[in-house]
Amino acid sequence: MKNIWMIALVCLNILSTFGQQKIDLLGSFDRTQPIKLSEIAKSVRTIQLETTDDCLLVPENMCVHYGLEYIFVFDGTEPGNFYRFDLNGKFINKIGNAGPGPKEYIEAHKFKVDEIKKEVWLPDWQSNSIKIYTYAGEFIRKIPCEAMIHDRFLIKDNLVFYANSNFYWGSHTNELTCADTQTGKLYSKLKSTIPDDLKIRILLDPQLLYTYKDEVFYKNPLKDVVCSVDASGKNIKLTPKYKLNIGERDHKRRDDYFKPQRNLKYANVTRIYESDTFLLFFSGYKENAYWTICSKKDWKCQSTEFDEGFINDLESGNASLQFRYGASMSQKHLVMVIPDEIGDDNPAITVVELK
């Protein structure tokens, strides 16, 4: 009887592997071609952001959440400032303050917006906590985190999922955690599977979390699969959905992640968007960066280099738009920040709404 169960388990694992959709990112980098914006987007809009003495912005490092009612912006400085604008770019208020106080954050560089509860979440990575504020900028509460998270978290209903930025330090750490949005109480967790003898000094690739159709997806930067996340039990379960052809790392040297020149044949995936008709990836490969569309109709990939951008055929002129992967904090938009050329320090943002 035991042997029968073992055979059934092996067969189940084989079927699960076959169920993964294969996506050839690496193969598309050698045959890049222009991509029209209309293939991925349904609208484009440019807004100039008002700046005052209380609101100064650094365009090169800005992050933007373009929401249903407001625009939220990280100013690109250290320890970080966060602002709210209306949809026409008029400055409204600052959100929180950096400092050592209980209602302040020590240092934050990213953020998330809960548009249902109208909250702004700032990950204070130095204190392993998330500080939560109202739209008006008033402190509400903080929740503790078991790990350093940076921007590797997302809010879904009454749960927050966050990934441990240092999960590769050993198998004793939690790699992924699901907790209550009000208290930070742990609901479910995924233990790291990294061997204790894997001496990585620093990991340059990010962990990826995103939602699609009310489901959470996760990619471990040391693996080539995108998995759906089931946090209904005490231990998080991952189900492989997409297997990515991104090359292989040189595992012969234990510090190879610290020296990326040893892995020029490996694509570093840093952003994933998913819709009903396509997946959109941002990747770094051989000192270049690429946007890649994978059609769900035939699962073929089409890539364009970051410097080439997307052809803006939604507006007259067919200008090229270059979207920095980290500029948008929304999973529904791409954002391009345009530095002010007049000299009054009022940058503009071009916002694309994805299909």
Side-chain angles (χ1 to χ4, degrees):
M1 179 65 70
K2 183 177 179 181
N3 290 335
I4 294 176
W5 280 111
M6 288 296 294
I7 293 172
L9 182 61
V10 170
C11 292
L12 184 62
N13 288 334
I14 293 174
L15 289 175
S16 175
T17 301
F18 286 153
Q20 300 174 45
Q21 180 59 54
K22 295 181 179 180
I23 298 176
D24 185 13
L25 288 179
L26 210 61
S28 68
F29 295 156
D30 292 331
R31 53 179 190 275
T32 60
Q33 54 188 303
I35 299 177
K36 293 181 179 180
L37 199 59
S38 59
E39 295 184 41
I40 61 169
K42 54 186 177 182
S43 68
V44 58
R45 182 178 180 221
T46 298
I47 308 116
Q48 189 169 40
L49 301 178
E50 175 190 26
T51 57
T52 69
D53 291 340
D54 298 322
C55 172
L56 298 176
L57 304 171
V58 181
E60 293 79 8
N61 300 317
M62 280 171 46
C63 299
V64 177
H65 176 97
Y66 184 86
L68 297 173
E69 300 177 282
Y70 302 102
I71 300 170
F72 298 87
V73 176
F74 160 62
D75 70 343
T77 67
E78 294 184 5
N81 295 299
F82 300 84
Y83 305 113
R84 178 171 62 134
F85 299 81
D86 69 18
L87 292 181
N88 292 317
K90 181 176 177 56
F91 173 65
I92 300 176
N93 63 271
K94 185 179 180 182
I95 298 170
N97 289 289
K103 298 182 178 181
E104 298 173 321
Y105 53 89
I106 299 173
E107 189 168 1
H109 298 150
K110 302 288 185 178
F111 66 99
K112 297 285 193 255
V113 178
D114 186 337
E115 296 196 73
I116 297 176
K117 297 183 177 66
K118 299 187 183 300
E119 297 175 342
V120 181
W121 289 50
L122 308 184
D124 189 359
W125 66 274
Q126 289 202 25
S127 65
N128 285 357
S129 66
I130 301 176
K131 305 292 174 62
I132 303 164
Y133 300 84
T134 66
Y135 278 10
E138 299 170 346
F139 177 80
I140 304 175
R141 66 189 182 280
K142 83 169 184 177
I143 63 171
C145 299
E146 288 194 337
M148 183 184 296
I149 63 172
H150 292 289
D151 65 329
R152 300 166 175 90
F153 75 101
L154 61 81
I155 307 159
K156 182 181 180 295
D157 302 324
N158 294 317
L159 299 175
V160 56
F161 293 79
Y162 60 85
N164 178 5
S165 300
N166 294 331
F167 75 96
Y168 53 90
W169 282 6
S171 58
H172 61 284
T173 61
N174 287 330
E175 178 176 332
L176 189 62
T177 304
C178 174
D180 181 80
T181 55
Q182 294 296 315
T183 64
K185 180 182 177 182
L186 189 68
Y187 277 154
S188 190
K189 62 185 179 180
L190 174 69
K191 279 288 188 181
S192 174
T193 58
I194 298 300
D196 288 327
D197 64 344
L198 187 60
K199 297 180 173 66
I200 305 172
R201 287 177 286 175
I202 187 171
L203 186 63
L204 302 179
D205 303 7
Q207 293 158 287
L208 299 180
L209 279 167
Y210 71 91
T211 56
Y212 168 65
K213 282 194 170 180
D214 206 37
E215 193 171 6
V216 176
F217 289 83
Y218 171 71
K219 182 186 177 301
N220 180 318
L222 302 180
K223 299 180 180 179
D224 61 358
V225 292
V226 178
C227 301
S228 64
V229 177
D230 179 2
S232 59
K234 182 178 180 181
N235 296 314
I236 290 176
K237 296 180 181 179
L238 301 181
T239 301
K241 292 292 185 179
Y242 305 116
K243 184 174 179 59
L244 309 180
N245 176 22
I246 51 179
E248 296 183 0
R249 287 191 180 276
D250 178 9
H251 287 288
K252 295 179 181 179
R253 295 184 175 93
R254 289 302 192 183
D255 65 344
D256 62 329
Y257 299 95
F258 187 69
K259 298 179 179 180
Q261 66 270 21
R262 291 177 177 168
N263 287 287
L264 291 179
K265 295 183 180 180
Y266 175 88
N268 172 18
V269 179
T270 56
R271 200 65 180 264
I272 302 175
Y273 300 85
E274 183 167 359
S275 75
D276 291 344
T277 58
F278 64 83
L279 285 108
L280 180 63
F281 300 86
F282 188 87
S283 309
Y285 178 66
K286 287 188 176 181
E287 300 181 351
N288 291 321
Y290 299 87
W291 283 104
T292 304
I293 306 173
C294 178
S295 169
K296 286 187 174 180
K297 182 178 180 179
D298 55 15
W299 299 101
K300 292 182 179 180
C301 291
Q302 180 181 354
S303 290
T304 185
E305 290 193 30
F306 169 76
D307 291 339
E308 296 296 327
F310 294 92
I311 298 174
N312 183 11
D313 61 328
L314 297 178
E315 297 180 324
S316 60
N318 287 336
S320 175
L321 301 180
Q322 293 84 27
F323 298 103
R324 181 166 50 87
Y325 81 91
S328 176
M329 291 290 96
S330 165
Q331 293 178 247
K332 300 177 181 178
H333 302 90
L334 299 180
V335 172
M336 183 175 73
V337 181
I338 307 170
D340 172 47
E341 296 180 356
I342 300 175
D344 55 4
D345 294 324
N346 287 352
I349 57 171
T350 296
V351 180
V352 162
E353 184 178 3
L354 297 173
K355 289 181 177 179

